[in-house]
Amino acid sequence: MGPGLWFLLLVPAGLGAAARSAVPRTERLFPEVQQMVHRFSQEAISNYSIFLVAPQTRTLYVGAKNAIFALPLESVNQPAKMISWEVPKNHRDSCTRKGKKEAECHNYIRILEFADESHLFTCGTFAFDPQCGFIKVANFSSVERQESGRGKCPFEPTQQSAAVMVDDVLYAATVSNFLGTQPIISRATGNLEERIRTEMSVTWLNDPVFVGSTFLRGGESGENDKIYFFFTETAREYDFYEQVRVPRVARVCKGDLGGLKTLQKRWTTFLKTQLICLDPESGTNFNLLKDVFTLHSVNGTSAVFYGIFSAQRWVPFLAPAGAH
Ligand SMILES: *[C@@H]1O[C@H](CO)[C@@H](O)[C@H](O)[C@H]1NC(C)=O
C-alpha cells in the first residue's frame, strides 16, 4: 500500500508536552477504535491534502495531487469517483524553467469547499500558478469555470494557508505572490467591490504561517457574523535580539465593506490578539500554533477552539499583546 489517508487519526494525550519533538511521548492504542479505521489510497496518487464531508449525501471529498475524489462515507475503502485535474505539459515546463523542482510543478489541491447547493469550489497550486474552479456535485466529472487562484490558494505546495466559505463567498489567508512574500487575508471571491484585504504591512501580518480559519454566526441579523484566522507570526512588540514567534487569532466581520477615505478596499474590522499556551510548572511557552479545530455549538453561534501548540525552544513568556 502506498501513502494513503487515514479516515480517523489518533492523537496522543499530553499534546503540548509531546509536540516538542515529532515523536510522541506516550502512545496508547485502542483496539476497538483500530477496528474502525478504514484506509483509502489510489494507485499513482499521492499527497492527500484536504477533505470535506457532505453529511446529507454521506460523501467524503478528498483533494490530493492532481486529483479530487468522492467517496461514500460508509465505505471509504471502495473504488472512488475521481476527477483528474492536471497541469498541461507546456505549463509544467514553464514552471521548471522558472527554477522550480519538477515535483512542485503539479496541481496540489488546497481548497475544497461547498460553493452552493449543487457545486463544490476547489483550488490547487497548479504549478505555481494557482487556479480555482467549480465541480458540479451531481456529475463529479470535471473542474469548470476555471479562474485565477491568486490570493485564494498558495503558489507553493508546502506553503500553509487557510480558507473558509461563508454564504457562497471565500475568505482566504495565504500569500498573493510567486515569491511567497506577501501574506494576505481577504474576501477573495464574490462582488469585486467587496473584495477587501489586509494592508501589506508587517503590523498587520508579519511572516505568518496560517493554520486554520472558521466562521461564527453572531445571531439572527447577521450583523455580528465573524471570520477567524489562526496563525503564528513574528512579534513586533518585543525588541529582542532574536525573532520571537507568537501564536495569534485574527478576526474580521462579515459585514465589513472597507473604508471610505482611509482603508479603502482594506478591512476596517481587522483585530488580532495573542494566544497563550503555557506550562506553568516548567515555564515552557508553547509559542507555535500547529493546528486548530473548531467545535461548533448546535445553533452555530458559539464554539470551542482546540489548538495544537509546540515550543520553538525556550522562549520567554510574553504577556498578551492586546488588539491591533
Ligand atoms: C508529496 O508526497 C511525497 C511522497 O509521499 C513527499 O515526498 C512530498 O514531500 C510530498 N509533497 C508535498 C508538497 O507535500
Side-chain angles (χ1 to χ4, degrees):
M1 256 198 287
L5 173 90
W6 275 274
F7 186 46
L8 192 64
L9 288 176
L10 298 181
V11 181
L15 278 178
R20 197 193 279 270
S21 79
V23 182
R25 190 185 54 170
T26 57
E27 210 173 280
R28 262 191 287 165
L29 295 175
F30 298 90
E32 64 278 17
V33 173
Q34 278 202 310
Q35 282 171 12
M36 290 158 52
V37 175
H38 298 285
R39 239 184 107 101
F40 162 74
S41 72
Q42 176 105 359
E43 192 78 35
I45 301 287
S46 63
N47 305 92
Y48 302 90
S49 50
I50 191 158
F51 56 42
L52 177 70
V53 174
Q56 298 85 358
T57 58
R58 311 285 306 153
T59 307
L60 172 67
Y61 298 101
V62 179
K65 176 181 166 185
N66 301 326
I68 301 155
F69 297 92
L71 313 169
L73 266 186
E74 275 68 30
S75 51
V76 293
N77 42 1
Q78 297 298 304
K81 281 196 215 169
M82 178 178 120
I83 294 173
S84 170
W85 189 20
E86 300 201 15
V87 184
K89 174 90 170 61
N90 59 348
H91 209 95
R92 286 209 314 272
D93 290 347
S94 91
C95 175
T96 48
R97 271 199 303 276
K98 285 178 200 153
K100 299 299 178 185
K101 297 194 195 86
E102 201 283 328
E104 298 174 318
C105 295
H106 285 271
N107 192 19
Y108 292 83
I109 308 302
R110 299 299 301 274
I111 295 178
L112 206 47
E113 292 278 337
F114 297 109
D116 55 41
E117 303 271 282
S118 53
H119 291 84
L120 302 181
F121 182 76
T122 185
C123 302
T125 58
F126 216 81
F128 277 82
D129 178 22
Q131 297 288 317
C132 300
F134 294 83
I135 296 169
K136 200 166 186 187
V137 173
N139 307 357
F140 203 77
S141 59
S142 63
V143 178
E144 305 160 6
R145 287 184 274 153
Q146 210 163 304
E147 64 186 35
S148 167
R150 191 175 275 250
K152 302 166 194 158
C153 173
F155 288 63
E156 199 176 327
T158 54
Q159 193 117 43
Q160 287 184 238
S161 64
V164 59
M165 203 92 178
V166 180
D167 300 335
D168 304 347
V169 173
L170 188 80
Y171 294 77
T174 184
V175 289
S176 60
N177 64 336
F178 181 84
L179 292 176
T181 51
Q182 290 173 355
I184 177 175
I185 293 178
S186 73
R187 184 185 287 123
T189 66
N191 290 340
L192 273 181
E193 11 358 312
E194 293 176 12
R195 301 221 187 148
I196 57 180
R197 59 174 176 84
T198 42
E199 196 73 75
M200 295 288 174
S201 151
V202 290
T203 58
W204 287 54
L205 294 168
N206 193 13
D207 196 15
V209 175
F210 298 109
V211 299
S213 57
T214 198
F215 168 63
L216 284 191
R217 287 225 183 268
E220 294 287 295
S221 69
E223 260 172 55
N224 288 314
D225 289 357
K226 295 184 180 80
I227 298 112
Y228 295 83
F229 292 91
F230 297 87
F231 54 100
T232 303
E233 69 170 353
T234 301
R236 298 192 69 255
E237 53 271 57
Y238 309 104
D239 193 15
F240 287 130
Y241 177 67
E242 275 187 284
Q243 287 198 336
V244 178
R245 300 287 286 171
V246 289
R248 300 240 198 243
V249 56
R251 78 100 225 258
V252 292
C253 295
K254 202 193 102 185
D256 194 339
L257 293 174
L260 283 177
K261 287 223 169 69
T262 58
L263 292 179
Q264 281 179 25
K265 295 265 182 188
R266 302 292 181 268
W267 298 109
T268 59
T269 57
F270 181 88
L271 284 177
K272 65 176 180 181
T273 191
Q274 184 172 342
L275 299 168
I276 295 163
C277 180
L278 182 72
D279 176 23
E281 244 170 64
S282 66
T284 310
N285 176 17
F286 296 95
N287 66 321
L288 305 178
L289 183 61
K290 295 305 204 179
D291 207 348
V292 70
F293 177 78
T294 309
L295 188 64
H296 290 274
S297 67
V298 176
N299 63 8
T301 55
S302 69
V304 180
F305 303 121
Y306 294 89
I308 299 178
F309 296 80
S310 74
Q312 197 173 3
R313 53 182 141 20
W314 187 85
V315 274
F317 171 66
L318 305 166
H324 163 77

